[in-house]
Amino acid sequence: MELSYIHFLIVCPLVFIAGFVDAIAGGGGLISLPAYMFAGIPVHQAIGTNKLSSAMGTTVATVKYGLNGFINWKLAPFCALFALAGSSIGAQISLLISDFIFKILMLFILPFVAFYVLRGKGWITEKENFSFKKTLILSVLIAFFVGIYDGFYGPGTGTFLLLLLTTFAHMSLKDANGTTKVINLTTNVTSLVIFFINGTVIISLGLIAGAFGMAGNLLGARFFSKGGAKITKPIMITVILLFMIKIIVELIQNFN
């Protein structure tokens, strides 16, 4: 599709805010994906382009975690392999669904994801470790099924992974955080490749928006505080509500 300066004026500031929110409290994907659709980008191109801008930020975060020794390299490669398989399936399913059906699904998925992102981290607790074999089996299954979700839609993936890896695979918080970054990077890149092959990635917009997202993330990291979530929750809820209203209006117009 042809882009105008309006697309950049709408998407880039919102993706900047998404990065800021993500650095403080997580859940930036709940803002970044709607940003593209607010600008009038069709659903599949919005998801594909969001994967590009998201992958940029996730790459930086994963490298940082790796250099700081926060990634368990005995577990992470296996999780990445299963995440690759899951996300490729999810992305292919996503491409089969029409814009209209996808918008209807969003009305149900978005509130559910938002609830878990806003509340999920309060449920994350460390538990007694399983054996390596049991942890490996459970973690690769989690990587596979969450990978399907991330390839299909995406927002909230990091929170879901952290919650599931600590609760069900009994990973330590350190290992869960590092493994989450590796899985999330894998699912972003894999689904990005599939969306790119199918011509649903707007490269120029994704790259520039990704740079804004990284800038927002850096600013958010500087302003991080224990009370940060109190600042970000109203922003996130406002964007989600406006986005849902927009979808409802568009669906009504389609029926008319």
Side-chain angles (χ1 to χ4, degrees), residues 26-39:
L30 288 165
I31 296 175
S32 63
L33 179 56
Y36 292 96
M37 295 182 68
F38 271 130

Side-chain angles (χ1 to χ4, degrees), residues 202-216:
I202 305 172
I203 296 175
S204 59
L205 181 58
L207 289 174
I208 294 173
F212 272 80
M214 292 169 71

